[in-house]
């Protein structure tokens, strides 16, 4: 079957987007011709990316909270209306099926935003576990366009375009509603770039007006679109793990350092018993960053070596354009996961990093 296009496909193509598959049956912008420029502009000014390929799964009904709480490791019951939370969905053995964001729209209404490549898997998983509950699961991916506006000038740009939303008061991991012209949009203070940013939920049939509005006004703020490749390099600088690259169902949140989001005291959820056992036993590996020497990124799966012995493998490597170095992420034996420890990858020296390469204190996220 042909790959599906997002509501922004033609508009992004007009700006020079180089399209390719992104998972979940969709095609979207990989880049706009210059990944480095897209990356650096998002750090310096403001960028926009089409994330409409991500899964949008609507869950509502009297037992919506109970269903979502059973699916995720975080605590949906503790969420107020207007809150968003990062969470993993785990298999019964604790393996990570996806990492995603949950939004509480009302007392009996949630929105789950999954990764693009896991959209169908998470949709079917949620539907399977809704059986017998008074909860209704609907895949609304095609109905919602999803542009993300990221960068230090993001608030300044959007404040003029959505004047009835108080974006200066909107805290990270929360959302509000406003009007972009005549279009009612949900605005969430979330994103995966490590910058001040907002994700917009837009009715698909009104998406063109929002994109064109952003582009018309955005030039004065340095707005330019960026693609999937820049999203990954921006995330690598922040050491954000990505599902399908740094984690999959063979590893658990403990293996990638997202175990702080597991709320064991909330009651039962899928994978709880396996994760409790793992918390007691510990894991043998750690997910870390690598600051590489040289100019060439390491190959995916490349061996991480110490004194002639393999201690791990690379999951992703690319240029850290903001820090002026080649970076990588890797799973290595836990005993060697020490800040500054020297290893080699393909004969090239590298140093282990346990915190973000760029803005490790997260000051830019706070805006």
């Amino acid at each position: 079957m042909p790959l599906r296009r997002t509501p922004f496909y033609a508009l992004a193509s007009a700006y020079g987007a180089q399209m390719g598959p992104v998972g979940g049956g969709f095609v979207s912008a990989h880049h706009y011709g210059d990944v480095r420029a897209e990356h650096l502009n998002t750090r310096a000014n403001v960028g926009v990316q089409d994330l409409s390929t991500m899964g949008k799964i609507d869950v509502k009904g009297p037992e919506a909270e109970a269903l979502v709480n059973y699916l995720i490791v975080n605590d949906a019951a503790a969420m107020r209306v207007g809150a968003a939370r990062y969470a993993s969905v785990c298999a019964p053995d604790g393996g990570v099926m996806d990492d995603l964001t949950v939004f509480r729209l009302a007392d009996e209404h949630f929105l789950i935003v999954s990764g693009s490549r896991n959209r169908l898997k998470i949709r079917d998983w949620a539907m399977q576990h809704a059986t017998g509950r008074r909860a209704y699961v609907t895949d609304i991916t095609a109905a919602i366009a999803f542009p993300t506006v990221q960068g230090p000038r993001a608030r300044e740009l959007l404040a003029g375009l959505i004047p009835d939303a108080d974006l200066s008061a909107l805290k990270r991991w929360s959302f509000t509603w406003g009007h972009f012209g005549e279009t009612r949009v949900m605005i969430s203070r979330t994103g995966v770039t490590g910058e001040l940013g907002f994700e917009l939920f837009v009715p698909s049939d009104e998406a063109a007006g929002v994109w064109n509005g952003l582009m018309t006004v955005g030039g004065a703020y340095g707005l330019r679109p960026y693609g999937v490749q820049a999203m990954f390099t921006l995330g690598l600088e922040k050491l954000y793990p990505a599902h399908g690259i740094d984690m999959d169902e063979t590893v658990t949140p403990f293996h990638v350092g997202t175990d702080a989001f597991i709320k064991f005291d909330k009651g039962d959820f899928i994978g709880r018993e396996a994760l409790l056992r793992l918390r007691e036993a510990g894991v043998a590996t750690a997910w870390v960053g690598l600051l590489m020497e040289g100019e060439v990124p390491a190959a995916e799966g490349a061996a991480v070596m110490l004194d002639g012995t393999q201690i791990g493998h690379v999951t992703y490597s690319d240029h850290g354009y903001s820090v002026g170095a080649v970076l990588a992420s890797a799973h290595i034996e836990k005993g060697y996961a020490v800040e500054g420890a020297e290893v080699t990858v393909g004969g090239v020296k590298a140093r282990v990093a346990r915190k973000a390469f760029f803005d490790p204190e997260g000051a830019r996220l706070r805006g």
Side-chain angles (χ1 to χ4, degrees):
M1 294 180 64
L3 292 173
R4 300 168 67 178
R5 298 179 177 185
T6 78
F8 297 126
Y9 179 92
L11 297 164
S13 296
Y15 276 84
Q18 303 300 300
M19 299 291 182
V22 293
F26 277 97
V27 62
S28 193
H30 280 203
H31 61 84
Y32 289 80
D34 190 339
V35 176
R36 179 179 183 276
E38 296 164 39
H39 176 120
L40 292 176
N41 183 71
T42 304
R43 290 273 186 248
N45 297 302
V46 57
V48 59
Q49 184 189 10
D50 177 14
L51 288 178
S52 305
T53 61
M54 297 185 74
K56 275 81 73 179
I57 302 164
D58 187 81
V59 184
K60 64 178 62 172
E63 294 185 62
E65 179 184 283
L67 172 60
V68 174
N69 227 15
Y70 186 61
L71 293 172
I72 68 172
V73 303
N74 210 326
D75 190 358
M79 295 174 66
R80 59 173 177 79
V81 174
R85 287 201 175 180
Y86 171 88
S88 297
V89 171
C90 290
D93 66 358
V96 181
M97 298 178 66
D98 196 16
D99 64 329
L100 43 74
T101 308
V102 176
F103 300 83
R104 187 162 202 155
L105 306 182
D107 287 346
E108 298 181 355
H109 194 183
F110 291 82
L111 177 66
I112 297 173
V113 177
S114 71
S116 301
R117 69 181 68 191
N118 293 319
R119 176 178 68 87
L120 299 175
K121 177 175 68 175
I122 297 301
R123 178 201 66 186
D124 293 347
W125 189 247
M127 287 181 172
Q128 174 188 334
H129 290 283
T131 302
R133 295 181 186 268
R134 292 179 299 156
Y136 309 93
V137 176
T138 308
D139 183 356
I140 61 171
T141 302
I144 304 295
F146 190 30
T148 181
V149 181
Q150 302 282 315
R153 304 192 74 183
R155 184 191 285 121
E156 185 183 3
L157 167 61
L158 290 176
L161 290 167
I162 315 175
D164 59 341
D166 186 359
L167 301 186
S168 62
L170 189 65
K171 296 186 181 298
R172 184 153 168 80
W173 296 108
S174 61
F175 65 89
T176 189
W177 296 85
H179 287 84
F180 193 117
E182 297 299 316
T183 299
R184 187 169 186 259
V185 298
M186 189 174 102
I187 313 108
S188 172
R189 185 147 170 224
T190 45
V192 294
T193 62
E195 296 292 334
L196 170 69
F198 302 85
E199 296 179 326
L200 308 183
F201 296 78
V202 182
S204 288
D205 58 353
E206 301 178 54
V210 170
W211 178 275
N212 289 332
L214 285 168
M215 292 304 177
T216 298
V217 176
Y221 299 88
L223 177 71
R224 66 179 293 170
Y226 66 96
V228 171
Q229 291 182 18
M231 177 187 74
F232 283 136
T233 56
L234 290 161
L236 177 60
E237 289 185 340
K238 292 295 295 181
L239 268 186
Y240 291 157
H243 197 277
I245 296 174
D246 305 300
M247 56 180 155
D248 54 28
E249 292 185 39
T250 68
V251 301
T252 73
F254 289 100
H255 292 89
V256 288
T258 60
D259 50 289
F261 296 96
I262 304 174
K263 305 303 180 185
F264 286 108
D265 59 354
K266 71 170 183 171
D268 195 22
F269 59 90
I270 301 171
R272 183 176 187 271
E273 293 306 315
L275 292 170
L276 277 171
R277 291 193 295 270
L278 200 58
R279 183 175 69 172
E280 295 302 315
V283 296
T285 62
W287 184 75
V288 300
L290 298 175
L291 181 65
M292 308 277 295
E293 292 188 0
E295 300 296 326
V296 181
E300 179 184 342
V304 179
M305 307 292 292
L306 180 64
D307 298 330
T309 300
Q310 182 174 352
I311 62 168
H313 68 277
V314 169
T315 55
Y316 174 58
S317 181
D318 211 325
H319 296 277
Y321 297 110
S322 306
V323 297
V326 171
L327 310 175
S329 53
H331 289 285
I332 66 172
E333 294 178 25
K334 199 168 187 177
Y336 302 109
V338 178
E339 182 74 29
E342 189 172 292
V343 296
T344 60
V345 180
V348 175
K349 290 182 179 180
R351 291 194 178 275
V352 172
R354 298 307 313 268
K355 57 185 179 181
F357 301 103
F358 180 81
D359 186 29
E361 304 304 321
R364 296 171 74 92
L365 277 172
R366 294 190 290 274

